Amino acid sequence: METREAVLPNKPVKRTRSLGTHAGVCLLLAALSLAVFLQIRHHDAVSYDDPIVTENRHIQQGLSFSSIVWAFTDVPDNMPYWVPVVILSHMADFQLFGDNFGHHHLTSLLFHVLSGITLFLALSLTTGRSFPAGIAAMLFSIHPLNVEPVAWLATRNSVLAVFFGLLAVAAYLYYAHGPSWRRYATVLLMFVLALASKSEIAPLIAVFCLLDFWPLGRAGTGGVPARRLVLEKIPFLATVGCALLTGRLLGAEAGSRPPLPGPGEWFLKTASSYLTAIGRLFWPVDLTLIRPAPPGSESLWPAVAGVIILAVVTVVVIRARRSRPYLLTGWFWFVFCLAPVAVMMAGSGRVLADRHTYLPAIGLFIMAGWIVADLAQRFRRFRPAVLCVTAPAIIALALVSHAHVRHFRDSETLYRHAAALHPGNIQAVTNLADTLLEKGRIDEAIAFYRQALSMDPENALVHNNLGAAFLKAGDRQRAAAGFRQALKYDPGHPMAGNNLGNLLVEMGRTDEAIACFEKTLTPDNPFLYKAHNNIATAFARKGEFDKAVFHLRQALAIQPDYATARENLVRLLMMQQQGAAAIGGDGDR
């Protein structure tokens, strides 16, 4: 068996494939990706986080000097990081395609296709082995867990971060074969663009270190001095710090945080996330965007199993580092790149999502590609059998992915699938009811709200939304009852307080409405500007114009582009000048 794993530093590999072979594999990768994902050109945006992008007025304006400046100097609401590259990509979509979101999806697909091709070329040209590199790239291109980042607009950050991250990897491999400041600057630029897409790409620095071991052979005896290898990575660490600091200074939102678990529990939950990721990668079933905590998630056994599996695999790859160095690079690529997300999931109590494995899984795909190639080479007699197993496996994964892409067609399809897959998934059922209510299918929406309340009778959000459904059906009494139930279980619920106040104003019970609105005037109310507008309309109906003007000005101070409050203020000032005794005004639900 030939020796092929380590490559002497600064010298190109001798085994190279023809240009035709590389072009053929690249076309195959593109064809497979299109066969799986091209259907997204008919998809719409979904209501689950996509409005963060699709309803942002700055992004909708498209590319202009002011919007580009805003992308680099501000952080959109509900985004936890500084991601100017992602924002610019969405602006370009609106500039080119308007609100044709099918074409927006195609932009994500384009970057995914290019990422698969980049991964293949980087691995193949560095190692001189097209077959295992092609398998790894195919797995990346069509794996069902990669459907979520490609088919969901809200995860454009993952697609762009991995695209620029893989370009950084390719540039690093090129730099290592002939170091120069220009090549190094190219690596750093690609890394910065990846960071400006998603900060979780930071573990790519560890990937560079792994690549120094294999396939570059720069680390270890006879390689590049360790001091130089360390110094090479310092600028990358500095850029990570700068990106995080920039996001913090611009007011990036980290979101609410539950009480943190103890160190032991945190460690076990982190290990459990690794086990979950490995399980889904090898057996991708029951895939859904909205995933409830699995049964028995509080049990220690999955966590203990995760620790054991991680330990065993780590020992195996370390022991095989000389004969099978790709195992060490692939395994620790997975471990290091999943670490930030796994640690955050353990600390927040959230469930690991499919999109979180988009970058880490590449390490396992590399392991799989080279293991298959080694088996085919070592057991030449069984090479056809190895290929006969590999090809159907890739086809099966592609078919599963193709079926899963359909679930992202629109909001109703997405939520129906999630609710059918996990009947106790209250978030999916509630979101489905919200979607049906928005479409005017009130009776269906009410039925699903009631189903959600059968799972959690004290859920204030569902009670509020059920009240909104009854209000839309013209049943004011049941609507008021729904809002009151929401306030019973969550006295500070902002939407329920606003909705009940507006309803009381319509029913002529203005004093009760004002009392209701006053309870919503709290700093933590995300709809505080609406609350000020609504209480202003109530005061105006009572003829207390000074108080109404005060609250309208407060609403505009919080949200300067709030058109409803501005129109109400103009109307109120005009009526004051005319000596009017009452004002209609518009409330805002």
Side-chain angles (χ1 to χ4, degrees):
M1 190 175 81
E2 63 182 349
T3 301
R4 63 198 179 289
E5 308 303 343
V7 179
L8 293 176
N10 306 332
K11 292 184 179 180
V13 296
K14 294 182 179 180
R15 290 191 63 191
T16 58
R17 298 293 182 182
S18 67
L19 178 62
T21 299
H22 283 100
V25 175
C26 290
L27 289 174
L28 177 60
L29 291 171
L32 284 173
S33 297
L34 293 176
V36 170
F37 290 104
L38 190 57
Q39 57 186 301
I40 62 176
R41 70 188 187 278
H42 301 304
H43 288 195
D44 197 0
V46 298
S47 61
Y48 193 72
D49 282 355
D50 280 359
I52 294 175
V53 172
T54 60
E55 296 180 5
N56 185 294
R57 64 183 180 85
H58 295 284
I59 294 175
Q60 288 176 330
Q61 290 173 358
L63 292 171
S64 65
F65 178 77
S66 60
S67 65
I68 293 173
V69 171
W70 175 83
F72 281 94
T73 58
D74 203 348
V75 177
D77 294 340
N78 300 314
M79 281 193 179
Y81 306 113
W82 180 67
V83 288
V85 172
V86 179
I87 295 171
L88 291 176
S89 76
H90 286 299
M91 288 178 175
D93 281 344
F94 274 102
Q95 183 82 29
L96 295 172
F97 313 122
D99 59 359
N100 184 340
F101 294 114
H103 287 72
H104 292 230
H105 287 299
L106 289 178
T107 300
S108 296
L109 175 56
L110 173 63
F111 284 112
H112 177 68
V113 172
L114 293 176
S115 293
I117 292 173
T118 301
L119 176 62
F120 163 69
L121 292 176
L123 292 174
S124 179
L125 294 175
T126 304
T127 64
R129 304 189 68 192
S130 297
F131 179 61
I135 292 177
M138 285 182 195
L139 290 172
F140 170 81
S141 298
I142 54 88
H143 198 282
L145 261 62
N146 289 350
V147 168
E148 187 174 297
V150 179
W152 187 26
L153 280 181
T155 50
R156 173 71 64 78
N157 57 347
S158 296
V159 176
L160 286 173
V162 169
F163 169 67
F164 287 114
L166 288 174
L167 285 180
V169 166
Y172 185 79
L173 294 172
Y174 183 56
Y175 158 79
H177 285 305
S180 69
W181 71 266
R182 288 185 178 86
R183 294 184 180 186
Y184 187 84
T186 302
V187 182
L188 192 60
L189 174 62
M190 294 300 106
F191 184 75
V192 169
L193 291 173
L195 267 181
S197 302
K198 189 176 185 179
S199 62
E200 281 93 339
I201 204 74
L204 211 59
I205 301 172
V207 170
F208 294 153
C209 297
L210 294 170
L211 295 174
D212 286 333
F213 173 72
W214 180 90
L216 293 172
R218 303 175 77 212
T221 305
V224 177
R227 182 173 180 271
R228 174 179 164 183
L229 293 178
V230 172
L231 290 175
E232 284 179 345
K233 311 305 184 292
I234 290 178
F236 296 98
L237 292 170
T239 58
V240 171
C242 290
L244 294 176
L245 179 61
T246 300
R248 179 66 64 182
L249 292 175
L250 294 177
E253 298 180 6
S256 59
R257 297 177 180 176
L260 298 179
E265 182 183 357
W266 201 330
F267 173 75
L268 290 175
K269 286 184 175 181
T270 300
S272 181
S273 292
Y274 278 97
L275 181 62
T276 298
I278 294 171
R280 288 185 198 160
L281 284 165
F282 280 92
W283 195 249
V285 297
D286 297 339
L287 302 179
T288 179
L289 177 60
I290 305 175
R291 193 186 301 275
S297 58
E298 298 300 322
S299 172
L300 288 179
W301 288 112
V304 172
V307 171
I308 294 173
I309 291 175
L310 287 174
V312 169
V313 176
T314 300
V315 170
V316 169
V317 301
I318 290 176
R319 289 175 63 89
R321 67 187 182 279
R322 297 189 184 278
S323 59
R324 301 286 183 272
Y326 58 80
L327 293 177
L328 187 143
T329 293
W331 174 248
F332 282 105
W333 179 315
F334 170 72
V335 171
F336 291 149
C337 289
L338 189 63
V341 174
V343 170
M344 284 192 295
M345 295 298 105
S348 66
R350 293 160 55 198
V351 179
L352 189 77
D354 296 348
R355 61 188 177 277
H356 295 144
T357 63
Y358 192 53
L359 174 66
I362 294 175
L364 298 187
F365 296 153
I366 291 173
M367 294 174 68
W370 261 261
I371 288 172
V372 169
D374 272 4
L375 289 174
Q377 184 167 331
R378 173 169 293 197
F379 304 103
R380 294 180 182 274
R381 188 183 307 176
F382 301 102
R383 182 178 295 179
V386 172
L387 297 178
C388 287
V389 171
T390 303
I394 290 176
I395 293 172
L397 289 172
L399 291 174
V400 172
S401 295
H402 187 274
H404 188 35
V405 171
R406 293 200 299 267
H407 299 144
F408 288 81
R409 183 178 61 192
D410 54 38
S411 298
E412 182 178 350
T413 304
L414 180 68
Y415 301 140
R416 280 194 185 277
H417 168 67
L421 198 60
H422 301 285
N425 189 340
I426 187 171
Q427 185 180 11
V429 173
T430 302
N431 288 0
L432 175 57
D434 292 342
T435 300
L436 294 171
L437 181 61
E438 187 176 347
K439 291 183 176 182
R441 293 152 63 179
I442 300 173
D443 292 339
E444 291 180 74
I446 289 173
F448 279 109
Y449 284 134
R450 285 174 168 162
Q451 180 182 335
L453 286 174
S454 69
M455 305 175 200
D456 183 4
E458 298 184 1
N459 190 302
L461 175 63
V462 180
H463 277 293
N464 171 76
N465 294 0
L466 178 60
F470 281 125
L471 184 61
K472 202 166 186 178
D475 191 336
R476 289 184 170 183
Q477 296 302 322
R478 288 187 176 181
F483 300 144
R484 291 187 191 280
Q485 282 292 98
L487 292 170
K488 173 184 176 182
Y489 297 120
D490 182 2
H493 196 283
M495 288 188 292
N498 270 333
N499 288 339
L500 180 58
N502 283 329
L503 180 57
L504 292 171
V505 169
E506 292 175 8
M507 298 171 68
R509 296 156 64 177
T510 308
D511 290 333
E512 291 180 65
I514 290 173
C516 191
F517 287 135
E518 285 176 340
K519 294 178 181 178
T520 66
L521 298 177
T522 58
D524 59 343
N525 181 353
F527 308 105
L528 182 58
Y529 60 99
K530 290 186 178 182
H532 279 292
N533 174 77
N534 293 346
I535 197 172
T537 63
F539 277 124
R541 285 178 183 271
K542 288 188 65 179
E544 300 183 24
F545 298 136
D546 291 339
K547 291 183 179 179
V549 169
F550 169 78
H551 284 287
L552 288 172
R553 294 192 189 281
Q554 289 293 314
L556 291 171
I558 299 170
Q559 194 83 359
D561 59 346
Y562 186 22
T564 302
R566 188 168 301 280
E567 291 169 4
N568 283 345
L569 181 59
V570 171
R571 184 186 300 129
L572 178 60
L573 293 175
M574 290 177 61
M575 297 186 76
Q576 272 188 297
Q577 292 175 357
Q578 297 169 4
I583 181 175
D586 295 325
D588 195 337
R589 299 188 188 280

